[in-house]
Short mmCIF file of all heavy atoms in Angstrom, two decimals:
data_model
loop_
_atom_site.label_atom_id
_atom_site.label_comp_id
_atom_site.label_asym_id
_atom_site.label_seq_id
_atom_site.Cartn_x
_atom_site.Cartn_y
_atom_site.Cartn_z
N PRO A 1 30.42 -4.54 -39.38
CA PRO A 1 30.58 -5.38 -40.57
C PRO A 1 31.52 -4.77 -41.60
O PRO A 1 31.85 -5.42 -42.59
CB PRO A 1 29.16 -5.49 -41.12
CG PRO A 1 28.47 -4.26 -40.64
CD PRO A 1 29.07 -3.96 -39.29
N ALA A 2 31.96 -3.53 -41.38
CA ALA A 2 32.90 -2.89 -42.30
C ALA A 2 34.32 -3.42 -42.14
O ALA A 2 35.15 -3.25 -43.04
CB ALA A 2 32.90 -1.37 -42.07
N ILE A 3 34.60 -4.09 -41.02
CA ILE A 3 35.96 -4.55 -40.75
C ILE A 3 36.34 -5.66 -41.72
O ILE A 3 35.60 -6.65 -41.90
CB ILE A 3 36.08 -5.03 -39.29
CG1 ILE A 3 35.87 -3.84 -38.33
CG2 ILE A 3 37.45 -5.67 -39.04
CD1 ILE A 3 35.82 -4.24 -36.88
N ASP A 4 37.48 -5.49 -42.38
CA ASP A 4 38.03 -6.48 -43.32
C ASP A 4 37.08 -6.79 -44.48
O ASP A 4 37.20 -7.84 -45.11
CB ASP A 4 38.37 -7.79 -42.59
CG ASP A 4 39.49 -7.63 -41.58
OD1 ASP A 4 40.19 -6.60 -41.62
OD2 ASP A 4 39.65 -8.53 -40.73
N ALA A 5 36.15 -5.89 -44.78
CA ALA A 5 35.13 -6.17 -45.79
C ALA A 5 35.33 -5.38 -47.07
O ALA A 5 34.52 -5.50 -47.99
CB ALA A 5 33.75 -5.88 -45.22
N GLY A 6 36.38 -4.58 -47.18
CA GLY A 6 36.56 -3.72 -48.33
C GLY A 6 37.17 -4.42 -49.52
O GLY A 6 37.72 -5.52 -49.43
N SER A 7 37.06 -3.76 -50.67
CA SER A 7 37.66 -4.25 -51.90
C SER A 7 39.13 -3.87 -51.95
O SER A 7 39.53 -2.79 -51.50
CB SER A 7 36.94 -3.63 -53.10
OG SER A 7 37.66 -3.84 -54.30
N ALA A 8 39.92 -4.74 -52.52
CA ALA A 8 41.35 -4.48 -52.67
C ALA A 8 41.66 -3.64 -53.90
O ALA A 8 42.83 -3.36 -54.17
CB ALA A 8 42.11 -5.80 -52.74
N SER A 9 40.63 -3.23 -54.63
CA SER A 9 40.87 -2.46 -55.86
C SER A 9 41.58 -1.16 -55.58
O SER A 9 42.49 -0.75 -56.30
CB SER A 9 39.55 -2.19 -56.57
OG SER A 9 38.94 -3.39 -56.99
N TYR A 10 41.17 -0.48 -54.51
CA TYR A 10 41.82 0.77 -54.10
C TYR A 10 41.96 0.76 -52.58
O TYR A 10 40.96 0.63 -51.86
CB TYR A 10 41.02 1.98 -54.57
CG TYR A 10 40.97 2.07 -56.07
CD1 TYR A 10 39.84 1.66 -56.76
CD2 TYR A 10 42.07 2.52 -56.79
CE1 TYR A 10 39.79 1.71 -58.14
CE2 TYR A 10 42.04 2.56 -58.18
CZ TYR A 10 40.90 2.15 -58.84
OH TYR A 10 40.86 2.19 -60.22
N ILE A 11 43.16 0.92 -52.11
CA ILE A 11 43.44 0.90 -50.67
C ILE A 11 44.23 2.15 -50.32
O ILE A 11 45.35 2.35 -50.82
CB ILE A 11 44.22 -0.36 -50.27
CG1 ILE A 11 43.43 -1.62 -50.63
CG2 ILE A 11 44.55 -0.34 -48.78
CD1 ILE A 11 44.20 -2.92 -50.39
N PRO A 12 43.70 3.01 -49.47
CA PRO A 12 44.48 4.18 -49.07
C PRO A 12 45.73 3.76 -48.30
O PRO A 12 45.75 2.70 -47.67
CB PRO A 12 43.51 4.96 -48.15
CG PRO A 12 42.16 4.38 -48.41
CD PRO A 12 42.39 2.96 -48.82
N PRO A 13 46.76 4.59 -48.30
CA PRO A 13 47.95 4.25 -47.52
C PRO A 13 47.71 4.33 -46.03
O PRO A 13 48.44 3.71 -45.24
CB PRO A 13 48.98 5.29 -47.97
CG PRO A 13 48.16 6.44 -48.46
CD PRO A 13 46.93 5.84 -49.06
N ASP A 14 46.71 5.10 -45.61
CA ASP A 14 46.40 5.25 -44.20
C ASP A 14 44.91 5.52 -44.06
O ASP A 14 44.17 5.45 -45.04
CB ASP A 14 47.24 6.37 -43.56
CG ASP A 14 47.17 7.68 -44.35
OD1 ASP A 14 46.19 7.86 -45.12
OD2 ASP A 14 48.06 8.52 -44.21
N ASP A 15 44.46 5.84 -42.83
CA ASP A 15 43.05 6.16 -42.63
C ASP A 15 42.92 7.61 -42.19
O ASP A 15 43.88 8.38 -42.22
CB ASP A 15 42.39 5.19 -41.65
CG ASP A 15 42.85 5.39 -40.20
OD1 ASP A 15 43.76 6.22 -39.96
OD2 ASP A 15 42.30 4.72 -39.32
N ILE A 16 41.74 8.01 -41.78
CA ILE A 16 41.50 9.41 -41.47
C ILE A 16 42.33 9.89 -40.28
O ILE A 16 42.59 11.09 -40.13
CB ILE A 16 40.00 9.66 -41.23
CG1 ILE A 16 39.69 11.16 -41.25
CG2 ILE A 16 39.53 8.98 -39.94
CD1 ILE A 16 38.23 11.51 -41.33
N ASP A 17 42.78 8.98 -39.44
CA ASP A 17 43.64 9.33 -38.31
C ASP A 17 45.13 9.28 -38.65
O ASP A 17 45.97 9.52 -37.79
CB ASP A 17 43.38 8.39 -37.14
CG ASP A 17 41.94 8.46 -36.66
OD1 ASP A 17 41.42 9.59 -36.52
OD2 ASP A 17 41.32 7.41 -36.43
N GLY A 18 45.44 8.91 -39.89
CA GLY A 18 46.84 8.75 -40.27
C GLY A 18 47.41 7.40 -39.88
O GLY A 18 48.62 7.19 -40.01
N GLU A 19 46.57 6.47 -39.42
CA GLU A 19 47.03 5.14 -39.06
C GLU A 19 47.12 4.28 -40.32
O GLU A 19 46.28 4.35 -41.22
CB GLU A 19 46.09 4.49 -38.04
CG GLU A 19 46.06 5.24 -36.72
CD GLU A 19 45.05 4.67 -35.75
OE1 GLU A 19 44.08 4.02 -36.18
OE2 GLU A 19 45.23 4.89 -34.54
N ALA A 20 48.13 3.44 -40.35
CA ALA A 20 48.40 2.66 -41.56
C ALA A 20 47.29 1.65 -41.84
O ALA A 20 46.72 1.06 -40.93
CB ALA A 20 49.74 1.94 -41.42
N ARG A 21 46.97 1.50 -43.09
CA ARG A 21 46.13 0.39 -43.54
C ARG A 21 47.05 -0.66 -44.17
O ARG A 21 48.09 -0.29 -44.75
CB ARG A 21 45.12 0.86 -44.59
CG ARG A 21 44.11 1.92 -44.05
CD ARG A 21 43.02 2.09 -45.06
NE ARG A 21 42.15 3.20 -44.79
CZ ARG A 21 40.87 3.09 -44.40
NH1 ARG A 21 40.33 1.91 -44.20
NH2 ARG A 21 40.13 4.16 -44.22
N ILE A 22 46.83 -1.93 -44.07
CA ILE A 22 45.67 -2.63 -43.55
C ILE A 22 46.07 -3.18 -42.17
O ILE A 22 47.20 -3.59 -41.98
CB ILE A 22 45.31 -3.81 -44.48
CG1 ILE A 22 45.08 -3.29 -45.91
CG2 ILE A 22 44.15 -4.57 -43.98
CD1 ILE A 22 44.94 -4.43 -46.92
N SER A 23 45.12 -3.26 -41.22
CA SER A 23 45.47 -3.81 -39.92
C SER A 23 44.98 -5.24 -39.75
O SER A 23 45.42 -5.94 -38.83
CB SER A 23 44.89 -2.95 -38.79
OG SER A 23 43.49 -3.14 -38.66
N GLY A 24 44.08 -5.69 -40.62
CA GLY A 24 43.54 -7.04 -40.50
C GLY A 24 43.77 -7.84 -41.77
O GLY A 24 44.81 -7.72 -42.42
N LEU A 25 42.77 -8.62 -42.15
CA LEU A 25 42.89 -9.48 -43.32
C LEU A 25 42.68 -8.71 -44.62
O LEU A 25 43.21 -9.09 -45.66
CB LEU A 25 41.87 -10.62 -43.24
CG LEU A 25 42.02 -11.57 -42.04
CD1 LEU A 25 40.89 -12.59 -42.02
CD2 LEU A 25 43.37 -12.26 -42.07
N ALA A 26 41.89 -7.65 -44.56
CA ALA A 26 41.61 -6.84 -45.75
C ALA A 26 41.32 -5.42 -45.29
O ALA A 26 41.17 -5.15 -44.09
CB ALA A 26 40.41 -7.40 -46.52
N VAL A 27 41.26 -4.49 -46.24
CA VAL A 27 40.98 -3.10 -45.88
C VAL A 27 39.56 -2.98 -45.36
O VAL A 27 38.64 -3.68 -45.79
CB VAL A 27 41.21 -2.19 -47.10
CG1 VAL A 27 40.17 -2.45 -48.19
CG2 VAL A 27 41.21 -0.72 -46.70
N ASP A 28 39.36 -2.10 -44.36
CA ASP A 28 38.03 -1.85 -43.83
C ASP A 28 37.29 -0.87 -44.74
O ASP A 28 37.89 -0.04 -45.43
CB ASP A 28 38.11 -1.26 -42.43
CG ASP A 28 38.75 -2.20 -41.42
OD1 ASP A 28 38.90 -3.39 -41.75
OD2 ASP A 28 39.10 -1.74 -40.32
N ILE A 29 35.96 -0.95 -44.75
CA ILE A 29 35.13 0.00 -45.47
C ILE A 29 34.98 1.25 -44.62
O ILE A 29 34.83 1.19 -43.41
CB ILE A 29 33.77 -0.63 -45.79
CG1 ILE A 29 33.94 -1.85 -46.71
CG2 ILE A 29 32.83 0.39 -46.45
CD1 ILE A 29 32.65 -2.62 -46.96
N GLY A 30 35.01 2.41 -45.27
CA GLY A 30 34.85 3.67 -44.55
C GLY A 30 36.17 4.39 -44.35
O GLY A 30 37.23 3.96 -44.82
N ALA A 31 36.11 5.51 -43.63
CA ALA A 31 37.29 6.36 -43.46
C ALA A 31 38.23 5.86 -42.37
O ALA A 31 39.37 6.28 -42.30
CB ALA A 31 36.84 7.79 -43.13
N ASP A 32 37.76 4.96 -41.52
CA ASP A 32 38.54 4.49 -40.38
C ASP A 32 38.99 3.05 -40.60
O ASP A 32 38.21 2.22 -41.07
CB ASP A 32 37.69 4.57 -39.11
CG ASP A 32 38.37 3.94 -37.90
OD1 ASP A 32 39.58 4.18 -37.72
OD2 ASP A 32 37.68 3.24 -37.13
N GLU A 33 40.23 2.77 -40.27
CA GLU A 33 40.73 1.39 -40.23
C GLU A 33 40.73 0.96 -38.77
O GLU A 33 41.44 1.55 -37.92
CB GLU A 33 42.14 1.31 -40.81
CG GLU A 33 42.72 -0.09 -40.85
CD GLU A 33 42.17 -0.94 -42.00
OE1 GLU A 33 41.41 -0.40 -42.84
OE2 GLU A 33 42.50 -2.14 -42.05
N PHE A 34 39.90 -0.04 -38.45
CA PHE A 34 39.78 -0.48 -37.06
C PHE A 34 41.06 -1.17 -36.61
O PHE A 34 41.53 -2.11 -37.25
CB PHE A 34 38.60 -1.43 -36.89
CG PHE A 34 38.42 -1.92 -35.48
CD1 PHE A 34 37.87 -1.09 -34.52
CD2 PHE A 34 38.81 -3.19 -35.12
CE1 PHE A 34 37.70 -1.53 -33.22
CE2 PHE A 34 38.65 -3.65 -33.83
CZ PHE A 34 38.09 -2.81 -32.87
N VAL A 35 41.60 -0.68 -35.51
CA VAL A 35 42.80 -1.27 -34.92
C VAL A 35 42.42 -1.73 -33.52
O VAL A 35 42.16 -0.90 -32.64
CB VAL A 35 43.97 -0.27 -34.85
CG1 VAL A 35 45.19 -0.92 -34.22
CG2 VAL A 35 44.30 0.26 -36.23
#
């Protein structure tokens, strides 16, 4: 349920793996951006 569920107030440039955010409709919650 974290996928595409995050707030747009603050969006990191990437995730813990260095992969670019955002990959879906909105930023994912947590350290990982699901791809």
Side-chain angles (χ1 to χ4, degrees):
I3 295 174
D4 295 345
S7 167
S9 296
Y10 296 101
I11 300 174
D14 51 21
D15 71 355
I16 194 167
D17 300 315
E19 296 176 336
R21 297 192 191 249
I22 304 171
S23 74
L25 298 176
V27 68
D28 297 346
I29 298 174
D32 173 43
E33 182 78 5
F34 180 76
V35 180

